[in-house]
Amino acid sequence: MAFAVAIVGRPNVGKSTLFNRLTGRRSALVDDTPGVTRDWRQGAADVGGIAFNLIDTAGLDEAAPDALEGRMREQTLSAMRRADVILFVVDARVGVTPLDEHFAKMARGADKPVVLVANKCEGAAAVPGLMEAFSLGLGEPIACSAEHGEGIADLVNALAASGAPRNEELASGADSDDVPIHLAIVGRPNVGKSTLVNRLIGEERLLTGPEAGITRDAIDVVWHVEGRKVVLTDTAGQRRQARVGDKLERLAVADAKRSVDYAEVVLLVIDAGEGLE
C-alpha cells in the first residue's frame, strides 16, 4: 500500500488548496466558504522526488456525533487512522484558535508523525500567527503558502524525514497492467448515490444522511470486483440548470460533469419512489 499523508485542520485553513498544490491538479473544490470539503478524497503526489498518497479531509469542528459536522469529523478521523503521516494545518493569518488547540491534542494522540504547517504565510501579517503555532506542541511549524507555492520544499523535506518514500520506490511496486475501469455515478440530489457506493465496497467510506446535497466534490473510490479494478466516482447531485443557485453548487455540478467526460461507464441513479422526471 502506498505511503499515505492526511491533511487535517479546522475549516477554511487552506487544506484543499494545499492538496491541489501537492498533487499538481485542481481536483479539490476550493472556495472561501468554510466546510466545502465533506468526504475525504485522495490523490497521488510526487513532489521533489518524494512520492505519496495524499488525503484531503473535511475541516475538524465540534458538533454532536449525529449532526452533519459530527459525521464529517468521523470521516476525517477515519482518514487519519489510514494515514502514515498527518499534516496539521493552521491559518497563520488568523493565528492559533481554541479549535486548533483542541484538535492538536487529538493529532498528538494519534501515535503517528505529525508535520505542523502554518499556511497563508505570505507577507508580514502572518508572522505573529507563525510564532503562535509553536504553542501547539507539534514541533517547529513550516511556513507555507499553498496558494502561492511558498515553503513547499521545506514541507517535502519534512515528509521525507517522516518516512515518505522516493518516487522510484513507489513506482517499483506498481502494477502497470492493472488499468482500472472508471465508472461515474450520477443523479439528482438525495437519490442514494453515496449509499450505493458504500454498499458496493462494503464500508462506510462516503458521508451519507438525510440532508440533500451532502456530496460536493467528485470522490473516487477503488472497488475490486471479480479480479477487476473499478474506480467508482461519486458525484454531487445535479438539478436543472435553472435551479442551480450559488457558486459552490455550480462548481460541484461542473466537477460532476468532468467526471462523466472521463468515465468509461456512467451509472444513472433514480429514486424508485419518485420515478422519472
Side-chain angles (χ1 to χ4, degrees), residues 39 183-201 203-209 211-219 221 232-239 252-253 256-257 259-260 266-271:
D39 286 293
L183 189 155
I185 300 177
V186 302
R188 292 184 289 109
N190 220 30
V191 295
K193 299 183 295 297
S194 299
T195 302
L196 176 60
V197 173
N198 287 344
R199 177 69 66 176
L200 289 173
I201 66 174
E203 64 173 293
E204 295 299 310
R205 165 65 178 83
L206 298 173
L207 193 64
T208 60
E211 304 91 347
I214 289 179
T215 302
R216 285 172 171 169
D217 289 274
I219 303 295
V221 178
L232 303 172
T233 304
D234 184 33
T235 65
Q238 299 186 53
R239 302 189 295 168
V253 169
K257 289 180 177 178
S259 298
V260 169
V266 178
L267 180 64
L268 173 64
V269 181
I270 64 171
D271 187 329

Side-chain angles (χ1 to χ4, degrees), residues 5-271:
V5 177
I7 306 175
V8 304
R10 62 178 176 80
N12 218 32
V13 295
K15 297 183 299 297
S16 293
T17 303
L18 182 59
F19 177 87
N20 288 343
R21 172 68 63 179
L22 293 175
T23 58
R25 297 176 57 192
R26 291 186 175 273
S27 51
L29 295 185
V30 176
D31 192 77
D32 291 335
T33 306
V36 171
T37 302
R38 288 175 171 173
D39 286 293
W40 58 268
R41 67 180 303 148
Q42 53 189 337
D46 185 349
V47 187
I50 303 298
F52 51 94
N53 185 36
L54 191 62
I55 304 173
D56 182 27
T57 68
L60 291 164
D61 209 344
E62 278 297 327
D66 57 346
L68 176 59
E69 291 78 7
R71 304 198 308 272
M72 289 163 58
R73 183 179 66 246
E74 184 53 41
Q75 286 284 312
T76 296
L77 295 177
S78 174
M80 290 172 64
R81 288 190 289 269
R82 296 168 185 252
D84 298 291
V85 174
I86 296 170
L87 284 185
F88 191 89
V89 183
V90 298
D91 184 339
R93 289 186 171 269
V94 173
V96 173
T97 70
L99 265 182
D100 291 321
E101 295 172 346
H102 176 73
F103 291 116
K105 293 179 182 178
M106 184 183 299
R108 288 198 299 270
D111 195 27
K112 295 181 180 181
V114 179
V115 176
L116 177 59
V117 179
N119 192 29
K120 306 184 185 181
C121 270
E122 63 276 9
V127 173
L130 176 63
M131 295 299 103
E132 286 181 13
F134 280 91
S135 67
L136 292 174
L138 296 173
E140 182 176 352
I142 295 173
C144 173
S145 171
E147 180 70 26
H148 298 89
E150 299 173 6
I152 299 301
D154 293 334
L155 176 54
V156 169
N157 289 336
L159 288 175
S162 298
R166 296 289 174 180
N167 50 14
E168 60 269 16
E169 297 172 9
L170 189 66
S172 64
D175 185 357
S176 58
D177 295 329
D178 189 17
V179 179
I181 298 172
H182 288 80
L183 189 155
I185 300 177
V186 302
R188 292 184 289 109
N190 220 30
V191 295
K193 299 183 295 297
S194 299
T195 302
L196 176 60
V197 173
N198 287 344
R199 177 69 66 176
L200 289 173
I201 66 174
E203 64 173 293
E204 295 299 310
R205 165 65 178 83
L206 298 173
L207 193 64
T208 60
E211 304 91 347
I214 289 179
T215 302
R216 285 172 171 169
D217 289 274
I219 303 295
D220 290 340
V221 178
V222 176
W223 179 40
H224 294 279
V225 55
E226 297 182 356
R228 290 301 303 270
K229 182 179 179 181
V230 180
V231 176
L232 303 172
T233 304
D234 184 33
T235 65
Q238 299 186 53
R239 302 189 295 168
R240 291 180 181 176
Q241 193 67 31
R243 296 182 182 178
V244 177
D246 61 19
K247 172 188 173 185
L248 193 53
E249 186 178 1
R250 291 197 300 272
L251 289 173
V253 169
D255 202 25
K257 289 180 177 178
R258 279 193 297 271
S259 298
V260 169
D261 291 339
Y262 283 105
E264 281 87 33
V265 183
V266 178
L267 180 64
L268 173 64
V269 181
I270 64 171
D271 187 329

